Amino acid sequence: ARLVWLLALAWLGLALGGEGEDGEAVVEEEEEDEVLSDELGEEDGVLVLHEHNFARALSEHRLLLVEFYAPWCGHCQRLAPAFAQAAATLRNESSPARLGKVDATARAALASEFGITSYPTLKLFRDGNRTHPLAYTGRMDAEGIVRWMQRRAGPSATLLQDSDTAAAFIGSQDLVVVGFFQDLQGQAAQAFYEVAGEVVDVPFGVAEAAELFQAYGLSADTVCLFKKFDEGRTDFPVDPARGLEVAELTQLLRVHSLELVMEFTNKVQPSPPPSLNPQGPCSPCPHPRPPPQTSAQIFGAKIPHHMLLFLNKSSPAQLALRDGFRAAAGAFRGKVLFVVVDVTGHGADVLPFFAMTPADAPTLRLVKMENNRKYRMDQDSFSEVAIRTFIQAVLDGKVKPHLLSAEPPEGWDTRPVKVLVGKTFEQVAFDETKNVFVKFYAPWCSHCQAMAAAWEELGERYKDHEDIVIAELDATANEVEDITINGFPTLQYFPAGPGRKVVEYKSTRDVETFSKFLENGGTLPEETPAVSEVPPPQHSSRPLLGRAQLGWDG
C-alpha cells in the first residue's frame, strides 16, 4: 500500500502528511554567534544562501532558482539529489541559470521576506529582482527542473523561417506546437511565448513568414498542435477581439496533447522518508514529482472527470471492448478523459484503491476529480451508447456515487478509540448526544504513525466520558458522503446537538492541546473554529455501503 499511493496521488486528491502545525512552516532563530560573510559557498554544485550573501548571488546570476527547505522535511530530502543533478546539468551546458538553497528553518529573515509557508518552496529570481520572484511550476525532478530553467534562459520558442525548417521541426517529435503570427511583437505572440515558457515538455516553434501561412493553409493568427496520433493536427485560431488567453491556451494544449484514449502506465517512485521535525510534519510538497510515462500526462491534464476501463489485455474478448469505449470518447473531449487500465500490467498497482482484483475486469468507473467521487455503471453493457448515456447521467447529477466501506472490526465500539468504517460513520459522528473527535488517516502515512500514540492516549483519557467519543477512520478504505479528505491526517470534530456541524482541527497535534480543544467545546482560546455543515444522506438515514463500492483513495 505504501507504494501504490504514489501511483494514484492525483486521482486520490490526497496530500501526504496533511498540513503542518497551523499550516505554517517552522522557523528557528539563527545562532547568535554564527559569523557569516557574503562569500558564495556551494554544496553539490548548489549555492548555499543566507542573509549575508543573498544579494550577491542575485547580482552575479541573472537566473537564480532558490529552494527554501527544511532539513527534516522528507520531501526536501527526496528533492536534494535531483536538485543537485539539475545544477550540474545546467553548469555543464554553460547555462546562465544557477540553483541555490536556503535553510528556511535557520534563516528566519529570508523565510519571512519571501513568505515561505511550506517546504520545499522554489522561487526564480530574474535579473537581480528581489521583490517579484517567480513561483516554480515545473516537475520536481532533475529533468523537469532543467527543462523549466532552459525555457527561461533562452527563447521559449524556435523561430521557423521557411518551409524546410518548419517541416523538419514539426517532424522532429511526436508532438510539437507552432504559433503562426503575422506580428511577433503583438499581444497574441507574447502570450504564446508565455505559454511556451510553462509547457516545457513540448517543443514550441513560431512563424511569421507569409509562405508558411500559405503552406499550412492559414490566413490568420493560429496556434497549431501537430501530433503523430489521432487526428494529426489541431488548430486553435486566435480570436481577433479577445486575443490569446494564456490559461485557456495552456489548458487546450494539455487536453489535445493527450491521445483520445490513454493507457495508464507508470513506474513506482519511492515514498519520502518520514519527517524528523519534532514540532510537526512538513507541509505537503506543492509540486509532487510526477511519475514517468502516461500517468504524468493523465494527471497533469486537469480534466475534471476520468472514465476508466479496467480490462485484462491478455483476453481478446476484453480487448475488443476498447472499440465502444473509444467511440464514446470523442463527445466528451476536454470534459472527460478516457483511460484504459490493464489489470495484469501497470494497472495492477492501482487495483487496491478500488478494492478490486484482476478477476473484476472488465468493468468501468468514472472519477469526479473535484471531490474524488467515483461512479460505477449498474449494467454490463460496454457499448458506445451505454457508456455515453452513463457519463451524461453522471454529469447531469442523476447518478449517486459509490462509497467504499470496510467491514466493522470486532469490538470496534468497545475500544478507547472507536474504529469507524463507512457503514458506521453516520451513526457515530452525527449522534446528537455525543461530541465526536475523528482522525481520518492512511496506514502508510508517517505523520499519522507519528501521532498514533497521542491519539490512543487521548482515547484512554476520555473513554469514560459519556458525551465525548474519540474515533478514527482509515480514509484509504472508507468513504463518507459529503466529507472529502484532502490530506493525512485530517482531524474533525462533530459537536453534539442538531445541525450536523463539523469543525476541522488545525492546531498542534499533542494530547494536551487536543484536551484543551475538547474541554472548550471544539475551540481553542482566541480561536475562531472553521465550522461547516454536512447535509444528511439523501438515500436513507444511514448510508448502506458495500464491498462493491470503489474509490481512488482505496
Side-chain angles (χ1 to χ4, degrees), residues 154-370:
S156 58
T158 301
L159 178 62
L160 308 177
Q161 297 179 325
D162 53 47
S163 298
D164 290 340
T165 58
F169 180 81
I170 292 169
S172 65
Q173 302 287 337
D174 289 344
L175 195 69
V176 301
V177 180
V178 179
F180 294 84
F181 302 102
Q182 294 171 341
D183 179 9
L184 293 184
Q185 303 305 314
Q187 179 275 332
Q190 296 307 307
F192 180 80
Y193 287 129
E194 187 174 342
V195 173
E198 290 297 329
V199 185
V200 300
D201 291 328
V202 181
F204 277 65
V206 66
E208 66 173 343
E211 68 170 284
L212 292 179
F213 274 78
Q214 182 177 358
Y216 291 93
L218 302 172
S219 59
D221 289 0
T222 305
V223 175
C224 297
L225 176 65
F226 296 92
K227 45 191 174 182
K228 296 180 181 178
F229 53 86
D230 291 344
E231 67 273 30
R233 169 177 163 180
T234 305
D235 290 358
F236 307 105
V238 177
D239 188 316
R242 295 175 57 242
L244 199 60
E245 296 288 338
V246 171
E248 180 181 358
L249 178 60
T250 300
Q251 183 59 16
L252 285 171
L253 292 176
R254 280 194 182 121
V255 169
H256 290 272
S257 293
L258 301 176
E259 295 184 43
L260 185 61
V261 175
M262 300 290 291
E263 181 173 349
F264 177 80
T265 58
N266 199 90
K267 292 180 181 178
V268 175
Q269 298 289 342
S271 58
S275 166
L276 302 177
N277 177 24
Q279 302 298 323
C282 54
S283 296
C285 177
H287 312 284
R289 178 173 56 187
Q293 302 188 36
T294 64
S295 55
Q297 298 172 277
I298 290 168
F299 299 149
K302 298 183 180 179
I303 295 176
H305 301 83
H306 289 182
M307 185 65 178
L308 312 177
L309 169 59
F310 291 88
L311 53 76
N312 186 333
K313 290 183 68 176
S314 64
S315 165
Q318 292 190 26
L319 276 177
L321 299 177
R322 294 182 300 182
D323 295 339
F325 191 65
R326 181 179 182 84
F332 298 100
R333 190 157 206 167
K335 295 180 180 179
V336 181
L337 178 61
F338 282 59
V339 183
V340 172
V341 182
D342 181 9
V343 298
T344 58
H346 289 277
D349 291 318
V350 299
L351 291 181
F353 290 95
F354 292 85
M356 285 172 55
T357 68
D360 293 308
T363 187
L364 291 160
R365 299 293 183 270
L366 188 144
V367 182
K368 188 174 183 179
M369 303 298 285
E370 179 184 27

Side-chain angles (χ1 to χ4, degrees), residues 1-3 5 16-18 271-277 280-281 439-457 472-474 476 487-491 509 514:
R2 286 183 58 84
L3 296 176
W5 75 272
L16 174 63
S271 58
S275 166
L276 302 177
N277 177 24
K439 175 184 71 173
F440 297 86
Y441 73 98
W444 43 256
C445 170
S446 61
H447 306 305
C448 302
Q449 296 163 8
M451 68 167 287
W455 201 249
E456 288 295 330
E457 184 178 342
E472 64 183 13
L473 181 141
D474 178 355
T476 68
F488 292 138
T490 290
L491 307 178
R509 296 170 186 153
F514 290 151

Side-chain angles (χ1 to χ4, degrees), residues 305-308 325 328 332 336 338 363-367 373-379 381-402:
H305 301 83
H306 289 182
M307 185 65 178
L308 312 177
F325 191 65
F332 298 100
V336 181
F338 282 59
T363 187
L364 291 160
R365 299 293 183 270
L366 188 144
V367 182
R373 290 297 180 237
K374 277 72 68 177
Y375 303 82
R376 186 181 64 170
M377 289 178 64
D378 293 330
Q379 54 187 314
S381 173
F382 291 84
S383 70
E384 173 191 353
V385 173
I387 293 171
R388 290 178 62 175
T389 301
F390 168 72
I391 293 174
Q392 193 59 55
V394 173
L395 298 182
D396 292 341
K398 298 178 180 179
V399 181
K400 292 287 185 183
H402 284 267

